[in-house]
Amino acid sequence: MIAINDLRHVKVEAARTARARYRAGTIEPTSGIAPGFTQANMIVLPRDWAFDFLLYAQRNPKACPVLDVSDPGSHATLLAPGADLRKDLPLYRIWRDGKLAEETADATVAWGEHPDLVSFLIGCSFTFETSMVEAGIEIRHITDRSNVPMYLTNKACRPAGRLHGNMVVSMRPIPASRVADAATISGRFPAVHGAPVHVGAPEEIGIKDLAKPEFGDPVRIKPGEVPVFWACGVTPQAAVMASGVPFAITHAPGHMFITDIPDSAYHA
Amino acid sequence: MIAINDLRHVKVEAARTARARYRAGTIEPTSGIAPGFTQANMIVLPRDWAFDFLLYAQRNPKACPVLDVSDPGSHATLLAPGADLRKDLPLYRIWRDGKLAEETADATVAWGEHPDLVSFLIGCSFTFETSMVEAGIEIRHITDRSNVPMYLTNKACRPAGRLHGNMVVSMRPIPASRVADAATISGRFPAVHGAPVHVGAPEEIGIKDLAKPEFGDPVRIKPGEVPVFWACGVTPQAAVMASGVPFAITHAPGHMFITDIPDSAYHA
């Protein structure tokens, strides 16, 4: 991994333009947007819950690889100087007592309810999709301009403090002849979920119907393709639900924070 | 990285024997002991300081790669079932208000002062020494049966909450023809400090005299050898000093916790 400070020369217009559009109100899934720039999941919690969550992330690094943590009360991040985490994602979810209370394109009002919110930015598998496309592996949800399908599994994460829950996975159908390549390429990006956690046999991880993802949209699976599952940064939202967390702000699944950091920075 | 639960078949006698000797009172540096088993630095802090430290580690991952975090009040770790973190290291340091107050072979009494201590186990560069030796690279402090030399640098870590301080590095003299191999081999172990942070030119990182390490013992440097520096898990102790942390227990530099986890588990 390359030090963030060594990347300051990178031309970041594409990332800034996308964030400006979202700040202005555009809502869209971010897969395929600003290719080559790392995207991040987000969860924002009061300071009182911050240690529990950071420990949950440390204990479940494949699902929750932490890229940056803001100081309490700040809405800035090292990963995109000048960005405002309250406004620059396309769509947010506000959670109360473990339940989805609201979706909004601007989280400023909800953010104002707590003076000490800590923001966690978590690696996203969209980051290695560009490398897979460059290797000739089609990413179906990019081709079809839909959101990636995500499923709640039966795999329990290791609990931490008051937080517990199961892993969420994203799924991409991959031709059987390219599954090994997809595993190898994504494995080079351990900070953004890395190699798949499961290949084929969805019922083994509690997925009954691939056509009915808990988050995102279903995708076409062609004959000869195998469903390949990667740990997903929506896992914190499953923990919010399972643990009845009193207050949280997250991104809406598939609607990520686009950073100024090139994907290559997270190449092992 | 391999999941801890997939490693339960490993024969762990060598690690257990070493821990039992330390519990019985033996004091020795642990480099070269129980070869093939991962060794860990330790810092133990009251729950009130735990988020600050976990964030410090997240922001300084080369110096502070976290391998495990205990629950508050526990002295057990997933990395060595049955071990007692209060007794099973060869030598401890007790810190009060940022100053070294005591060195002891048994931290049980000090541990009893706080009911909510959280233990952090942090990767140690001893972990990749076995691979370097197998590749024909001599590790001088193992040859000479001394403690590895460690230096406080002028490189500031990224602060977190109340914690700040400079990076500590370990140094190994490496023949010029093998420096690239040493970098490559250690780079395969990102969870235990990974590749060197600095090669040659010690004055550039504020080291004035290689013969006077801040921690550990000086080592012989032969003609044709280059001093190679790796981020070191004593960095948290530098933060304890610089930040005036009210209470902490750590390992004594070079006197590590020996886990049941084979080094190969941390091979990327």
Side-chain angles (χ1 to χ4, degrees), chain A residues 180-263:
Chain A
D181 293 337
T184 302
I185 292 168
S186 57
R188 289 182 196 135
F189 293 86
V192 289
H193 303 306
V197 291
H198 200 77
V199 177
E203 64 283 1
E204 290 294 312
I205 53 173
I207 300 173
K208 289 180 185 136
D209 186 349
L210 288 174
K212 293 180 181 167
E214 273 79 17
F215 311 94
D217 304 317
V219 290
R220 295 175 295 129
I221 304 181
K222 296 180 183 174
E225 289 181 342
V226 177
V228 179
F229 302 94
W230 279 267
C232 176
V234 173
T235 301
Q237 299 183 34
V240 166
M241 288 186 266
S243 315
V245 173
F247 180 84
I249 301 171
T250 70
H251 72 292
H255 298 71
M256 320 304 289
F257 179 65
I258 299 180
T259 75
D260 286 354
I261 309 298
D263 295 342

Coordinates of all heavy atoms in Angstrom, one line a residue, chain A residues 180-263:
Chain A
A180 N -10.9 -18.2 -11.3 CA -9.6 -18.2 -10.7 C -8.9 -16.8 -10.9 O -8.3 -16.2 -10.0 CB -8.7 -19.3 -11.2
D181 N -9.1 -16.3 -12.1 CA -8.5 -14.9 -12.4 C -9.2 -13.9 -11.5 O -8.5 -13.0 -11.0 CB -8.7 -14.6 -13.9 CG -7.9 -15.4 -14.8 OD1 -6.9 -16.0 -14.3 OD2 -8.3 -15.6 -16.0
A182 N -10.5 -14.0 -11.4 CA -11.2 -13.0 -10.6 C -10.8 -13.1 -9.1 O -10.6 -12.0 -8.4 CB -12.7 -13.2 -10.6
A183 N -10.5 -14.3 -8.6 CA -10.0 -14.4 -7.2 C -8.6 -13.9 -7.1 O -8.3 -13.2 -6.1 CB -10.0 -15.9 -6.8
T184 N -7.8 -14.1 -8.1 CA -6.4 -13.6 -8.0 C -6.3 -12.1 -8.1 O -5.7 -11.5 -7.3 CB -5.6 -14.2 -9.2 OG1 -5.6 -15.6 -9.2 CG2 -4.1 -13.7 -9.2
I185 N -7.1 -11.5 -9.0 CA -7.1 -10.1 -9.2 C -7.6 -9.4 -7.9 O -7.0 -8.5 -7.4 CB -7.8 -9.7 -10.4 CG1 -7.1 -10.1 -11.7 CG2 -8.0 -8.1 -10.5 CD1 -7.9 -10.1 -13.0
S186 N -8.8 -9.8 -7.5 CA -9.3 -9.2 -6.3 C -8.5 -9.4 -5.0 O -8.4 -8.6 -4.2 CB -10.8 -9.6 -6.0 OG -10.8 -11.0 -5.9
G187 N -7.8 -10.6 -5.0 CA -6.9 -10.9 -3.9 C -5.7 -9.9 -3.7 O -5.2 -9.8 -2.7
R188 N -5.4 -9.2 -4.8 CA -4.4 -8.2 -4.8 C -4.8 -6.9 -4.1 O -4.0 -6.0 -3.9 CB -3.9 -7.9 -6.2 CG -3.1 -9.0 -6.9 CD -2.7 -8.5 -8.3 NE -2.3 -9.7 -9.1 CZ -2.7 -9.9 -10.3 NH1 -3.4 -9.0 -10.9 NH2 -2.3 -11.0 -10.9
F189 N -6.1 -6.9 -3.7 CA -6.6 -5.6 -3.1 C -7.2 -6.0 -1.7 O -8.4 -5.8 -1.5 CB -7.7 -5.0 -4.0 CG -7.2 -4.5 -5.3 CD1 -7.1 -5.3 -6.4 CD2 -6.9 -3.1 -5.4 CE1 -6.6 -4.8 -7.6 CE2 -6.4 -2.6 -6.6 CZ -6.3 -3.5 -7.7
P190 N -6.3 -6.4 -0.8 CA -6.8 -6.8 0.6 C -7.5 -5.7 1.3 O -8.4 -6.0 2.1 CB -5.6 -7.3 1.3 CG -4.4 -6.6 0.6 CD -4.9 -6.5 -0.8
A191 N -7.2 -4.4 1.0 CA -7.8 -3.3 1.8 C -9.2 -3.0 1.3 O -9.9 -2.2 1.9 CB -7.0 -2.1 1.7
V192 N -9.7 -3.6 0.2 CA -11.0 -3.4 -0.3 C -11.7 -4.7 -0.5 O -12.3 -5.0 -1.5 CB -11.0 -2.5 -1.6 CG1 -10.5 -1.1 -1.2 CG2 -10.0 -3.1 -2.6
H193 N -11.7 -5.5 0.6 CA -12.4 -6.8 0.7 C -11.6 -8.0 0.1 O -11.8 -9.1 0.5 CB -13.8 -6.8 0.0 CG -14.7 -5.8 0.6 ND1 -14.9 -5.7 2.0 CD2 -15.4 -4.8 0.1 CE1 -15.8 -4.7 2.2 NE2 -16.0 -4.1 1.0
G194 N -10.6 -7.8 -0.8 CA -9.8 -8.8 -1.3 C -10.5 -10.0 -2.0 O -11.4 -9.7 -2.7
A195 N -9.9 -11.2 -1.8 CA -10.4 -12.3 -2.6 C -11.8 -12.7 -2.1 O -12.3 -12.3 -1.1 CB -9.5 -13.5 -2.3
P196 N -12.5 -13.5 -3.0 CA -13.9 -13.9 -2.6 C -14.0 -14.7 -1.3 O -13.0 -15.4 -1.0 CB -14.3 -14.8 -3.8 CG -13.4 -14.4 -4.9 CD -12.1 -14.0 -4.3
V197 N -15.1 -14.6 -0.6 CA -15.3 -15.4 0.6 C -16.0 -16.7 0.3 O -16.0 -17.6 1.1 CB -16.1 -14.6 1.7 CG1 -15.2 -13.5 2.3 CG2 -17.4 -14.1 1.2
H198 N -16.6 -16.8 -0.9 CA -17.4 -18.0 -1.3 C -17.6 -18.0 -2.8 O -17.7 -17.0 -3.4 CB -18.8 -17.9 -0.6 CG -19.5 -19.2 -0.5 ND1 -19.2 -20.1 0.5 CD2 -20.5 -19.7 -1.2 CE1 -20.0 -21.1 0.4 NE2 -20.8 -20.9 -0.6
V199 N -17.5 -19.2 -3.4 CA -17.6 -19.4 -4.8 C -18.7 -20.5 -5.1 O -18.5 -21.6 -4.7 CB -16.3 -19.7 -5.5 CG1 -16.5 -19.9 -7.0 CG2 -15.3 -18.6 -5.3
G200 N -19.7 -20.1 -5.8 CA -20.8 -21.1 -6.0 C -21.6 -21.5 -4.8 O -21.4 -20.8 -3.7
A201 N -22.5 -22.5 -4.9 CA -23.2 -23.0 -3.7 C -23.8 -21.9 -2.8 O -23.5 -21.9 -1.6 CB -22.3 -24.0 -2.9
P202 N -24.6 -21.0 -3.3 CA -25.1 -19.9 -2.5 C -25.9 -20.4 -1.2 O -25.9 -19.8 -0.2 CB -26.1 -19.2 -3.4 CG -26.3 -20.0 -4.6 CD -25.1 -20.9 -4.7
E203 N -26.5 -21.6 -1.4 CA -27.3 -22.1 -0.2 C -26.5 -22.4 1.0 O -26.9 -22.3 2.1 CB -28.1 -23.4 -0.6 CG -27.3 -24.6 -1.0 CD -26.7 -24.5 -2.4 OE1 -26.9 -23.5 -3.1 OE2 -26.0 -25.5 -2.8
E204 N -25.2 -22.7 0.8 CA -24.3 -22.9 1.9 C -24.1 -21.7 2.8 O -23.7 -21.9 4.0 CB -22.9 -23.4 1.3 CG -22.9 -24.7 0.7 CD -23.1 -25.8 1.7 OE1 -22.5 -25.8 2.7 OE2 -24.0 -26.7 1.4
I205 N -24.3 -20.5 2.3 CA -24.1 -19.3 3.1 C -25.5 -18.7 3.3 O -25.6 -17.5 3.7 CB -23.1 -18.3 2.5 CG1 -23.4 -18.0 1.1 CG2 -21.7 -18.9 2.7 CD1 -22.5 -16.8 0.5
G206 N -26.6 -19.5 3.2 CA -27.9 -19.0 3.6 C -28.6 -18.2 2.5 O -29.6 -17.6 2.9
I207 N -28.1 -18.2 1.3 CA -28.8 -17.5 0.2 C -29.8 -18.4 -0.5 O -29.4 -19.3 -1.2 CB -27.8 -16.8 -0.8 CG1 -26.9 -15.9 0.0 CG2 -28.5 -16.1 -1.9 CD1 -25.7 -15.4 -0.9
K208 N -31.1 -18.1 -0.3 CA -32.1 -19.0 -0.9 C -32.4 -18.7 -2.3 O -32.7 -19.6 -3.1 CB -33.4 -19.0 -0.1 CG -33.1 -19.6 1.3 CD -34.4 -19.6 2.2 CE -34.1 -20.2 3.6 NZ -34.7 -19.4 4.6
D209 N -32.4 -17.5 -2.7 CA -32.8 -17.1 -4.1 C -32.0 -16.0 -4.6 O -32.1 -14.8 -4.1 CB -34.3 -16.7 -4.1 CG -34.9 -16.5 -5.5 OD1 -34.1 -16.4 -6.4 OD2 -36.1 -16.3 -5.6
L210 N -31.1 -16.3 -5.5 CA -30.2 -15.2 -6.1 C -31.0 -14.1 -6.7 O -30.5 -13.0 -6.8 CB -29.2 -15.8 -7.1 CG -28.1 -16.7 -6.5 CD1 -27.3 -17.3 -7.6 CD2 -27.2 -15.9 -5.6
A211 N -32.2 -14.4 -7.1 CA -33.0 -13.3 -7.8 C -33.6 -12.3 -6.8 O -34.2 -11.3 -7.2 CB -34.2 -14.0 -8.6
K212 N -33.4 -12.6 -5.5 CA -34.0 -11.7 -4.5 C -32.9 -11.2 -3.5 O -32.9 -11.6 -2.3 CB -35.1 -12.4 -3.7 CG -36.3 -12.7 -4.6 CD -37.4 -13.4 -3.8 CE -38.6 -13.8 -4.7 NZ -39.5 -14.7 -4.1
P213 N -32.0 -10.3 -3.9 CA -31.0 -9.8 -3.0 C -31.7 -8.9 -2.0 O -32.7 -8.3 -2.2 CB -30.1 -9.0 -4.0 CG -30.9 -8.6 -5.1 CD -31.9 -9.8 -5.3
E214 N -31.0 -8.9 -0.8 CA -31.6 -8.0 0.3 C -31.3 -6.5 0.0 O -32.0 -5.7 0.4 CB -30.9 -8.3 1.6 CG -31.6 -9.4 2.4 CD -31.3 -10.8 1.9 OE1 -30.3 -11.0 1.2 OE2 -32.0 -11.8 2.2
F215 N -30.2 -6.3 -0.8 CA -29.8 -4.9 -1.2 C -29.4 -4.9 -2.6 O -29.0 -5.9 -3.2 CB -28.6 -4.4 -0.3 CG -28.7 -4.6 1.1 CD1 -28.2 -5.8 1.7 CD2 -29.4 -3.7 2.0 CE1 -28.3 -6.0 3.1 CE2 -29.5 -3.9 3.3 CZ -28.9 -5.0 3.9
G216 N -29.6 -3.8 -3.3 CA -29.3 -3.7 -4.7 C -30.2 -4.4 -5.6 O -31.4 -4.8 -5.2
D217 N -29.8 -4.7 -6.9 CA -30.7 -5.3 -7.9 C -30.2 -6.7 -8.2 O -29.0 -6.9 -8.2 CB -30.6 -4.4 -9.2 CG -31.0 -3.0 -8.9 OD1 -32.0 -2.7 -8.1 OD2 -30.3 -2.1 -9.4
P218 N -31.1 -7.6 -8.6 CA -30.7 -8.9 -9.2 C -30.0 -8.7 -10.5 O -30.2 -7.7 -11.2 CB -32.0 -9.7 -9.3 CG -33.1 -8.6 -9.4 CD -32.6 -7.4 -8.6
V219 N -29.1 -9.6 -10.9 CA -28.4 -9.5 -12.2 C -28.7 -10.8 -12.9 O -28.9 -11.9 -12.3 CB -26.9 -9.3 -12.1 CG1 -26.6 -7.8 -11.6 CG2 -26.2 -10.3 -11.3
R220 N -28.5 -10.7 -14.3 CA -28.6 -11.9 -15.1 C -27.4 -12.8 -14.9 O -26.3 -12.3 -14.7 CB -28.6 -11.5 -16.6 CG -29.8 -10.7 -17.1 CD -29.5 -10.2 -18.5 NE -28.4 -9.3 -18.7 CZ -27.4 -9.4 -19.5 NH1 -27.4 -10.5 -20.4 NH2 -26.4 -8.5 -19.6
I221 N -27.7 -14.1 -14.8 CA -26.6 -15.1 -14.7 C -26.7 -16.0 -15.9 O -27.7 -16.7 -16.1 CB -26.7 -16.0 -13.4 CG1 -26.7 -15.0 -12.2 CG2 -25.5 -16.9 -13.3 CD1 -26.8 -15.8 -10.9
K222 N -25.6 -16.0 -16.8 CA -25.7 -16.7 -18.0 C -25.2 -18.2 -17.8 O -24.5 -18.4 -16.8 CB -24.8 -16.1 -19.0 CG -25.2 -14.6 -19.4 CD -24.1 -14.1 -20.5 CE -24.4 -12.7 -20.8 NZ -23.4 -12.1 -21.7
P223 N -25.6 -19.1 -18.7 CA -25.1 -20.5 -18.6 C -23.6 -20.5 -18.6 O -23.0 -19.7 -19.3 CB -25.7 -21.1 -19.9 CG -26.9 -20.3 -20.3 CD -26.5 -18.9 -19.8
G224 N -23.0 -21.3 -17.7 CA -21.6 -21.4 -17.6 C -21.0 -20.4 -16.7 O -19.8 -20.4 -16.4
E225 N -21.8 -19.5 -16.1 CA -21.3 -18.6 -15.1 C -21.6 -19.1 -13.7 O -22.6 -19.7 -13.4 CB -22.0 -17.2 -15.3 CG -21.5 -16.5 -16.6 CD -22.1 -15.1 -16.7 OE1 -23.2 -14.9 -16.1 OE2 -21.6 -14.4 -17.5
V226 N -20.7 -18.7 -12.8 CA -20.7 -19.2 -11.4 C -20.9 -17.9 -10.5 O -20.3 -16.9 -10.8 CB -19.4 -19.9 -11.0 CG1 -19.4 -20.2 -9.5 CG2 -19.2 -21.1 -11.8
P227 N -21.8 -17.9 -9.6 CA -22.0 -16.8 -8.7 C -20.8 -16.7 -7.7 O -20.5 -17.7 -7.0 CB -23.3 -17.0 -7.9 CG -23.5 -18.5 -8.0 CD -22.8 -19.0 -9.2
V228 N -20.1 -15.6 -7.7 CA -18.9 -15.4 -6.8 C -19.2 -14.3 -5.8 O -19.8 -13.3 -6.2 CB -17.7 -15.1 -7.7 CG1 -16.4 -14.9 -6.8 CG2 -17.4 -16.2 -8.7
F229 N -18.9 -14.6 -4.6 CA -19.3 -13.7 -3.5 C -18.1 -13.1 -2.8 O -17.2 -13.8 -2.4 CB -20.1 -14.5 -2.4 CG -21.3 -15.2 -3.0 CD1 -21.3 -16.5 -3.5 CD2 -22.5 -14.5 -3.1 CE1 -22.4 -17.2 -4.0 CE2 -23.6 -15.2 -3.7 CZ -23.6 -16.5 -4.1
W230 N -18.2 -11.8 -2.6 CA -17.2 -11.0 -1.9 C -17.8 -10.4 -0.7 O -19.0 -10.0 -0.7 CB -16.7 -9.9 -2.8 CG -15.6 -10.3 -3.8 CD1 -14.3 -10.3 -3.7 CD2 -15.9 -10.8 -5.1 NE1 -13.7 -10.7 -4.8 CE2 -14.6 -11.0 -5.7 CE3 -17.0 -11.0 -5.9 CZ2 -14.5 -11.5 -7.0 CZ3 -16.9 -11.5 -7.2 CH2 -15.6 -11.8 -7.8
A231 N -17.0 -10.3 0.4 CA -17.4 -9.6 1.6 C -17.8 -8.2 1.2 O -17.1 -7.6 0.4 CB -16.3 -9.7 2.7
C232 N -18.8 -7.6 1.9 CA -19.4 -6.4 1.4 C -19.4 -5.4 2.6 O -19.7 -5.7 3.7 CB -20.8 -6.6 0.9 SG -21.6 -5.1 0.4
G233 N -19.2 -4.1 2.2 CA -19.2 -3.0 3.2 C -20.5 -2.6 3.7 O -20.7 -1.6 4.4
V234 N -21.6 -3.3 3.3 CA -22.9 -3.1 3.8 C -23.0 -3.9 5.2 O -24.0 -3.7 5.9 CB -24.0 -3.5 2.8 CG1 -25.4 -3.4 3.4 CG2 -23.9 -2.5 1.6
T235 N -22.0 -4.8 5.4 CA -22.0 -5.6 6.7 C -22.3 -4.7 7.9 O -23.0 -5.1 8.8 CB -20.7 -6.4 6.8 OG1 -20.6 -7.2 5.6 CG2 -20.7 -7.2 8.0
P236 N -21.7 -3.5 8.0 CA -22.0 -2.6 9.2 C -23.5 -2.3 9.3 O -24.0 -2.2 10.4 CB -21.2 -1.4 8.9 CG -20.1 -1.8 8.1 CD -20.6 -2.9 7.2
Q237 N -24.2 -2.2 8.2 CA -25.6 -1.9 8.3 C -26.4 -3.1 8.8 O -27.4 -2.9 9.6 CB -26.2 -1.5 6.9 CG -25.5 -0.2 6.4 CD -26.0 0.3 5.1 OE1 -27.2 0.2 4.8 NE2 -25.2 0.9 4.3
A238 N -25.9 -4.3 8.5 CA -26.5 -5.5 9.1 C -26.3 -5.5 10.6 O -27.2 -5.9 11.4 CB -26.0 -6.8 8.4
A239 N -25.1 -5.1 11.0 CA -24.8 -5.0 12.5 C -25.7 -3.9 13.2 O -26.2 -4.1 14.3 CB -23.4 -4.7 12.7
V240 N -25.9 -2.8 12.5 CA -26.8 -1.8 13.0 C -28.2 -2.3 13.3 O -28.8 -2.2 14.4 CB -26.9 -0.6 12.1 CG1 -28.0 0.4 12.4 CG2 -25.6 0.2 12.1
M241 N -28.7 -3.1 12.3 CA -30.0 -3.7 12.5 C -30.0 -4.8 13.6 O -30.9 -4.7 14.5 CB -30.5 -4.3 11.1 CG -30.8 -3.3 10.1 SD -31.5 -4.1 8.6 CE -30.0 -4.2 7.6
A242 N -29.1 -5.7 13.5 CA -29.1 -6.8 14.5 C -28.8 -6.4 15.9 O -29.3 -7.0 16.8 CB -28.0 -7.8 14.1
S243 N -28.1 -5.3 16.0 CA -27.7 -4.8 17.4 C -28.6 -3.7 17.9 O -28.4 -3.3 19.1 CB -26.2 -4.4 17.4 OG -25.4 -5.3 16.6
G244 N -29.5 -3.2 17.1 CA -30.4 -2.2 17.6 C -29.6 -0.9 17.9 O -29.9 -0.2 18.9
V245 N -28.7 -0.5 17.1 CA -27.9 0.7 17.4 C -28.8 1.9 17.4 O -29.6 2.1 16.5 CB -26.8 0.9 16.3 CG1 -26.1 2.2 16.4 CG2 -25.8 -0.3 16.3
P246 N -28.7 2.8 18.5 CA -29.6 3.9 18.6 C -29.6 4.9 17.5 O -30.7 5.4 17.0 CB -29.2 4.6 19.9 CG -28.4 3.6 20.6 CD -27.8 2.7 19.6
F247 N -28.4 5.2 16.9 CA -28.4 6.2 15.9 C -27.2 5.9 15.0 O -26.1 5.7 15.5 CB -28.2 7.6 16.5 CG -28.2 8.7 15.4 CD1 -29.3 9.2 14.9 CD2 -27.0 9.2 15.0 CE1 -29.3 10.2 13.9 CE2 -26.9 10.2 14.0 CZ -28.1 10.7 13.5
A248 N -27.4 6.0 13.7 CA -26.3 5.8 12.7 C -26.7 6.5 11.4 O -27.9 6.5 11.1 CB -26.0 4.3 12.5
I249 N -25.7 7.0 10.7 CA -25.9 7.4 9.3 C -25.0 6.5 8.5 O -23.9 6.3 8.8 CB -25.5 8.9 9.1 CG1 -26.3 9.8 10.0 CG2 -25.6 9.3 7.7 CD1 -25.8 11.2 10.1
T250 N -25.5 6.0 7.4 CA -24.7 5.2 6.4 C -25.0 5.7 5.0 O -25.9 6.4 4.8 CB -25.0 3.7 6.5 OG1 -26.3 3.5 5.9 CG2 -25.0 3.2 7.9
H251 N -24.1 5.2 4.1 CA -24.4 5.4 2.7 C -25.6 4.4 2.4 O -25.8 3.4 3.1 CB -23.2 5.0 1.8 CG -22.9 3.6 1.8 ND1 -22.5 2.9 2.9 CD2 -23.1 2.6 0.8 CE1 -22.3 1.6 2.6 NE2 -22.7 1.4 1.4
A252 N -26.4 4.7 1.3 CA -27.3 3.7 0.9 C -26.6 2.7 0.0 O -25.6 3.0 -0.7 CB -28.4 4.4 0.0
P253 N -26.9 1.4 0.2 CA -26.1 0.4 -0.5 C -25.9 0.7 -2.0 O -26.9 1.0 -2.7 CB -26.9 -0.9 -0.3 CG -27.6 -0.7 1.0 CD -27.9 0.8 1.0
G254 N -24.6 0.6 -2.4 CA -24.3 0.8 -3.8 C -24.1 2.3 -4.1 O -23.6 2.6 -5.2
H255 N -24.4 3.2 -3.2 CA -24.3 4.6 -3.4 C -23.1 5.1 -2.5 O -23.3 5.6 -1.4 CB -25.6 5.3 -3.1 CG -26.7 4.9 -3.9 ND1 -27.3 3.7 -3.8 CD2 -27.4 5.6 -4.9 CE1 -28.3 3.6 -4.7 NE2 -28.4 4.7 -5.4
M256 N -21.9 5.0 -3.1 CA -20.7 5.1 -2.2 C -20.1 6.5 -2.2 O -20.5 7.4 -3.0 CB -19.6 4.2 -2.8 CG -20.1 2.8 -3.3 SD -21.0 1.9 -2.1 CE -19.6 1.5 -1.1
F257 N -19.2 6.7 -1.3 CA -18.3 7.9 -1.3 C -17.2 7.7 -2.3 O -16.4 6.7 -2.2 CB -17.8 8.2 0.1 CG -17.0 9.4 0.2 CD1 -17.5 10.7 -0.1 CD2 -15.6 9.3 0.5 CE1 -16.7 11.8 0.0 CE2 -14.8 10.4 0.6 CZ -15.4 11.7 0.3
I258 N -17.0 8.6 -3.2 CA -15.9 8.5 -4.2 C -14.7 9.4 -3.7 O -14.9 10.6 -3.5 CB -16.4 9.0 -5.6 CG1 -17.5 8.1 -6.1 CG2 -15.2 9.0 -6.6 CD1 -18.0 8.4 -7.4
T259 N -13.6 8.7 -3.4 CA -12.4 9.4 -2.9 C -11.5 9.9 -4.0 O -11.7 9.6 -5.2 CB -11.6 8.4 -2.0 OG1 -10.9 7.5 -2.9 CG2 -12.5 7.6 -1.1
D260 N -10.5 10.6 -3.6 CA -9.5 11.1 -4.5 C -8.3 10.1 -4.7 O -7.4 10.4 -5.4 CB -8.9 12.4 -4.0 CG -9.8 13.6 -4.2 OD1 -10.9 13.5 -4.8 OD2 -9.5 14.7 -3.7
I261 N -8.5 9.0 -4.1 CA -7.4 8.0 -4.0 C -7.5 7.0 -5.2 O -8.5 6.4 -5.4 CB -7.4 7.2 -2.7 CG1 -7.5 8.2 -1.5 CG2 -6.2 6.3 -2.6 CD1 -6.3 9.1 -1.3
P262 N -6.4 6.9 -6.0 CA -6.5 5.9 -7.1 C -6.5 4.5 -6.6 O -5.9 4.2 -5.5 CB -5.2 6.2 -7.9 CG -4.3 6.9 -6.9 CD -5.1 7.6 -5.9
D263 N -7.2 3.7 -7.3 CA -7.3 2.2 -6.9 C -5.9 1.6 -6.6 O -5.8 0.8 -5.8 CB -8.0 1.4 -8.0 CG -9.5 1.8 -8.2 OD1 -10.0 2.5 -7.3 OD2 -10.0 1.5 -9.3

